[in-house]
Amino acid sequence: MAEQNQKKKKKKWILPVVIIGVLAVLIYFGATAIRESRRVLADAQTRTAAAKHGSVELSVAGSGSLTADDSADVKIPALLEIDEILVEVGDVVQAGDPLATLDSVALQSAITEVQDEIATIDEQIDEAESTTEESEIEASVAGRVKEIAVTEGDSVSQTVAQAGHLMILSLDGTMKVEVESGAQPETGSSVTVGLPDGSAEEGEVVSSGASSFIVSLTDDGPEAGQTVSIQNEDGQALGDGVLEVNAPLNVVGGNGTVKSVDVELNDKVGKGASLLTLQSTTSSREYQDLAQQRIQYEELLRILLQYAETNTITADIAGSITEIQAGQSVSSAETSSDLDVSGILSNLPISAQNAEEGIVFDTLAHTTANTAQALTLETNAGETGEYTLASSGDPQDPPTTVTEIVGVIDVPVAAPVLAGTPQVTIAPGAGYTGTVAWEPAASFFVPETAYTAVVVLKAEPGFRFANDIQVTIAGAVISELVVSQEAEQNIVAFRAAFPPTAALPQDVDLEQYINDILQDSIGQAANGLGDSLGSLGNIGGSFSIDSSALGQGTTTSAPSTAMAAAFTITPGQAYSIIAEIDEVDIFSIAVGQDVNIVMDALLDDMFHGTVTKISTVGTSQSGVTTYPVTIRLDPADTPLLGGMNATANIVTKVSENALLIPLEALQEQGEERFVYIYDPNVNLSERQQNDQPLGEVRTVTTGISDGVNVEITSGLQEGEEVVYTVTESNAFLEAIMSMSGESQGASSPQS
């Protein structure tokens, strides 16, 4: 038993001894291999490279996602009603594919309405053509007629558009001629001005310079545009020039045609003198407005008749459905409260009689997005009641990224029509909402009045309008556009001027017409507000309207010609990237720079683009500020999809035919930059092991670098070789070297 235990103990000791022996052998041979590898590796880490010419680019990187630039809206008349939507967002359609079906009854009703409206306009056009009215253009100041640009029968507006004026008056009694000459006559000296017909006028030099002088003469006789010659008192020719009116006044006008020209060339006229007699001035303006309306209704009828053939809305182009707006507009029942309360009740033109009776309407303005609107009604009996209109819930949490709204926005604002309801809200767009106020203020549009819409668009949380955003409104002239500078939720404000509304139909009593509209409006308001307000008939008092208080009302007498977007289709042929660029690099970016682009989903393909816009409004996250830079991609054969992630390298500087060496070969010590010149007779291994320079030290100056190569601007010639070392990692050898170092360290004290 004892012997067996001793044998077991011997076996227990034998195994560790064997393991230690094996390890010792491995370490010995490993250390030998390391020493040999160090010698071999030293030569491998030393490299040479010849300086050679090539191109190098400096670039700034940014990332973003693809956005389609070629989206197109399928627009339909706003008065159409959708029966069924046949597609979903993300569906791929071809040109002609059905998108939605229409309510056939509503479509036929709309066709009848438009046909009736065209017939009414035709009657108004006939009346406008048969009515003429004369007017005069008078001289606003005294002067002499020096140019007449019109003759009998000419259109005033066309003449002004082509010539810039109808007449030119001379205000100070003088003409002038500037002569390009180095003669330098004395200022104040007399000269002779020779006219084309051989006659002459006396002139005076009013200014004289090194290369020209100016002569003044009477405006009684000489004509503007004549070439005249100038002589001094001795008869010496000083030069030639063209006569101009010294103090001209351009006479302009608006509409109508010229019935008669009431003055002649060179006439002296006083203030208030008749210059031109015009005819058809009023009917011309009305006729133009009516003709424009008829064109709009003709186009609307053509579209409706096309839809009537199939009762279907079809795709205009092939692509993907990226947005569906059809069926998303708020119904009139949902908006009647806001529209009627602010547009009818608070602005009703109460006559003096009713004001004395104490009928007062007061609406409290909205203060925040989730503050209810209160309506206070007070009767002539002094009874009051306050009713609250519910508002939307809490706004959503703001997003962490900001999307810029770019390009041209087609804002859906309906043109004013006689007795029509002024639009007060804008249908929500892609990332924004809007409101409309009218000048002059109105609850309904009155006859023969030019209205201007003051539109305010507000970007929703997570969106902002680009600084160069543009807007259009059908039939309106846009002016005074302003974009606020907030990083998000900024505002675009502008004015949109519309043509005057039509005249009131004949045989219609104006005051009774307006009273009827108001009574209808009150009935609509009562129906819209329902139980919340009860019956507005309990207010008491009657409504009588003064002619001077016109400008308020609610109903419309004609169908809208506005077009509204129903679907958005993206063909996917044109894309942009909005890349976020760090603030330290943004000043090196410029419009027009080339961009190399790699998609995360298509790493083997390289795409090219161009910087098209640089935003000056940045966003800050975690202390880092970046600025959005828009990059337009060049057309490519490889199919792409909106939303794909991309990395853009914007080329900020290019050096062509530059002398290049590897960036690793460039040495730095303080501010000095240098290289080692390669000598084939030098043992590089020994120099490296002895920490000696690898060769001749040559100071160089550098240009740009792309991270691989660096441009050498002086200090080297093409073909010269530089030598340098690189650090290469070998994980296996490093592990063995570590083991060897520990083993030697442990055994050294015993030796």
Side-chain angles (χ1 to χ4, degrees):
M1 189 68 177
E3 291 180 359
Q4 289 180 354
N5 290 336
Q6 287 180 355
K7 288 181 181 180
K8 288 181 180 180
K9 289 180 180 180
K10 287 181 181 180
K11 289 181 180 179
K12 289 181 180 180
W13 283 104
I14 290 174
L15 183 58
V17 170
V18 171
I19 293 173
I20 292 173
V22 171
L23 287 175
V25 172
L26 288 175
I27 291 173
Y28 172 79
F29 286 105
T32 303
I34 289 169
R35 287 192 293 272
E36 182 63 22
S37 68
R38 282 177 172 171
R39 183 182 65 78
V40 175
L41 191 59
D43 290 335
Q45 289 178 328
T46 303
R47 297 180 181 176
T48 62
K52 58 183 179 180
H53 284 93
S55 62
V56 63
E57 297 178 346
L58 190 63
S59 63
V60 172
S63 60
S65 57
L66 288 184
T67 301
D69 288 341
D70 52 356
S71 296
D73 289 333
V74 177
K75 293 187 176 182
I76 64 173
L79 51 77
L80 287 180
E81 295 183 16
I82 301 294
D83 183 39
E84 181 183 4
I85 297 175
L86 306 177
V87 294
E88 296 179 352
V89 172
D91 287 354
V92 177
V93 297
Q94 302 298 320
D97 285 354
L99 305 178
T101 58
L102 298 169
D103 185 314
S104 59
V105 175
L107 177 56
Q108 292 301 322
S109 175
I111 291 173
T112 302
E113 285 187 64
V114 173
Q115 289 173 332
D116 291 344
E117 186 64 24
I118 292 176
T120 301
I121 292 175
D122 286 342
E123 294 177 0
Q124 295 172 346
I125 288 176
D126 181 65
E127 180 183 342
E129 286 181 321
S130 62
T131 303
T132 60
E133 186 173 315
E134 293 185 358
S135 64
E136 292 182 344
I137 294 180
E138 299 176 345
S140 59
V141 295
R144 188 181 299 278
V145 179
K146 298 307 299 178
E147 184 176 339
I148 301 175
V150 291
T151 59
E152 183 178 335
D154 284 352
S155 166
V156 171
S157 59
Q158 290 181 2
T159 302
V160 172
Q162 294 172 3
H165 57 268
L166 302 173
M167 290 185 182
I168 295 179
L169 301 184
S170 172
L171 300 183
D172 65 356
T174 63
M175 305 286 285
K176 69 177 180 180
V177 56
E178 183 174 1
V179 180
E180 300 290 338
S181 171
Q184 296 183 341
E186 185 178 350
T187 301
S189 61
S190 297
V191 293
T192 301
V193 181
L195 303 177
D197 61 1
S199 62
E201 295 284 351
E202 182 180 350
E204 180 184 353
V205 178
V206 294
S207 70
S208 182
S211 59
S212 67
F213 62 91
I214 297 176
V215 173
S216 175
L217 65 156
T218 180
D219 67 358
D220 188 6
E223 298 180 16
Q226 290 181 326
T227 300
V228 297
S229 60
I230 310 298
Q231 295 179 346
N232 61 16
E233 293 179 329
D234 298 331
Q236 180 183 0
L238 301 179
D240 299 333
V242 178
L243 281 178
E244 302 176 42
V245 178
N246 186 58
L249 173 69
N250 291 332
V251 178
V252 296
N255 295 302
T257 58
V258 177
K259 181 180 180 181
S260 64
V261 180
D262 301 335
V263 294
E264 294 182 354
L265 198 63
N266 218 47
D267 280 355
K268 183 74 173 178
V269 297
K271 179 180 178 181
S274 176
L275 303 177
L276 298 169
T277 299
L278 308 180
Q279 65 183 2
S280 303
T281 53
T282 302
S283 63
S284 173
R285 181 176 64 250
E286 292 179 4
Y287 180 83
Q288 291 176 6
D289 293 341
L290 290 169
Q292 182 61 38
Q293 290 181 36
R294 196 184 198 285
I295 292 173
Q296 294 176 352
Y297 281 110
E298 286 174 358
E299 177 64 18
L300 178 60
L301 180 60
R302 183 188 65 81
I303 295 173
L304 293 176
L305 291 174
Q306 287 180 343
Y307 282 131
E309 294 179 1
T310 61
N311 262 16
T312 304
I313 301 172
T314 58
D316 299 326
I317 56 176
S320 300
I321 302 294
T322 51
E323 189 173 356
I324 298 177
Q325 300 94 334
Q328 295 182 357
S329 60
V330 182
S331 68
S332 59
E334 294 171 328
T335 60
S336 60
S337 297
D338 287 341
L339 180 60
D340 290 341
V341 169
S342 62
I344 301 172
L345 298 180
S346 67
N347 292 315
L348 282 178
I350 306 302
S351 67
Q353 175 185 355
N354 286 324
E356 291 176 357
E357 293 175 350
I359 299 177
V360 179
F361 298 95
D362 180 27
T363 54
L364 303 181
H366 286 283
T367 55
T368 64
N370 49 1
T371 298
Q373 180 179 9
L375 171 67
T376 302
L377 303 180
E378 181 179 346
T379 70
N380 54 355
E383 299 176 356
T384 61
E386 183 172 89
Y387 303 89
T388 300
L389 306 180
S391 63
S392 59
D394 294 334
Q396 296 180 352
D397 294 333
T400 57
T401 59
V402 178
T403 300
E404 196 163 44
I405 304 171
V406 299
V408 180
I409 300 175
D410 187 6
V411 183
V413 176
V417 293
L418 178 59
T421 302
Q423 181 178 337
V424 296
T425 58
I426 304 293
Y432 65 89
T433 58
T435 59
V436 186
W438 293 90
E439 296 178 349
S443 284
F444 64 85
F445 296 119
V446 298
E448 299 180 276
T449 303
Y451 289 92
T452 297
V454 181
V455 181
V456 177
L457 305 179
K458 182 176 181 181
E460 295 179 336
F463 291 84
R464 76 171 308 279
F465 294 104
N467 294 336
D468 58 351
I469 195 72
Q470 299 180 47
V471 298
T472 60
I473 293 179
V477 177
I478 307 299
S479 64
E480 300 179 32
L481 188 144
V482 178
V483 183
S484 64
Q485 298 299 310
E486 288 84 359
E488 66 172 312
Q489 288 191 274
N490 62 334
I491 290 173
V492 173
F494 59 91
R495 295 177 182 272
F498 290 89
T501 52
L504 193 67
Q506 286 185 331
D507 303 324
V508 175
D509 179 79
L510 184 59
E511 292 187 6
Q512 184 59 45
Y513 182 78
I514 301 301
N515 273 291
D516 291 342
I517 291 176
L518 287 176
Q519 296 294 344
D520 291 341
S521 300
I522 292 171
Q524 293 173 9
N527 292 333
L529 296 176
D531 295 336
S532 298
L533 293 179
S535 173
L536 291 178
N538 296 329
I539 293 175
S542 61
F543 294 92
S544 62
I545 306 303
D546 296 331
S547 299
S548 60
L550 295 179
Q552 324 294 332
T554 59
T555 60
T556 178
S557 61
S560 171
T561 59
M563 301 291 287
F567 300 88
T568 300
I569 300 177
T570 301
Q573 301 299 319
Y575 288 97
S576 288
I577 297 171
I578 300 180
E580 296 295 331
I581 302 300
D582 193 281
E583 61 184 323
V584 299
D585 298 318
I586 192 63
F587 288 112
S588 65
I589 308 300
V591 171
Q593 288 175 336
D594 291 333
V595 186
N596 297 315
I597 303 159
V598 176
M599 305 294 169
D600 290 359
L602 302 166
L603 295 177
D604 294 334
D605 295 322
M606 178 68 72
F607 300 87
H608 181 267
T610 305
V611 175
T612 58
K613 188 175 71 170
I614 304 166
S615 176
T616 58
V617 179
T619 56
S620 182
Q621 292 183 350
S622 303
V624 178
T625 301
T626 59
Y627 293 83
V629 172
T630 303
I631 300 163
R632 175 70 60 82
L633 270 70
D634 293 346
D637 295 332
T638 305
L640 300 172
L641 295 175
M644 282 186 168
N645 294 321
T647 299
N649 289 292
I650 304 172
V651 180
T652 58
K653 191 173 183 181
V654 178
S655 184
E656 302 285 354
N657 198 31
L659 188 63
L660 304 177
I661 63 170
L663 180 60
E664 292 177 311
L666 183 66
Q667 312 295 320
E668 294 185 6
Q669 186 171 2
E671 296 183 356
E672 183 183 9
R673 296 186 175 186
F674 59 92
V675 295
Y676 296 121
I677 302 300
Y678 174 65
D679 184 349
N681 298 319
V682 172
N683 189 317
L684 297 178
S685 298
E686 293 181 0
R687 284 179 174 269
Q688 182 182 6
Q689 291 176 356
N690 295 328
D691 294 330
Q692 295 178 353
L694 298 178
E696 173 195 345
V697 176
R698 180 86 59 84
T699 300
V700 296
T701 56
T702 60
I704 64 174
S705 172
D706 60 3
V708 177
N709 295 313
V710 62
E711 177 185 14
I712 303 297
T713 57
S714 67
L716 278 179
Q717 300 294 325
E718 184 177 17
E720 285 191 290
E721 288 191 277
V722 295
V723 60
Y724 59 100
T725 59
V726 295
T727 302
E728 294 184 350
S729 175
N730 188 313
F732 174 74
L733 290 179
E734 287 178 357
I736 298 298
M737 289 167 63
S738 175
M739 291 176 60
S740 173
E742 291 177 1
S743 174
Q744 293 173 359
S747 59
S748 58
Q750 299 177 359
S751 58

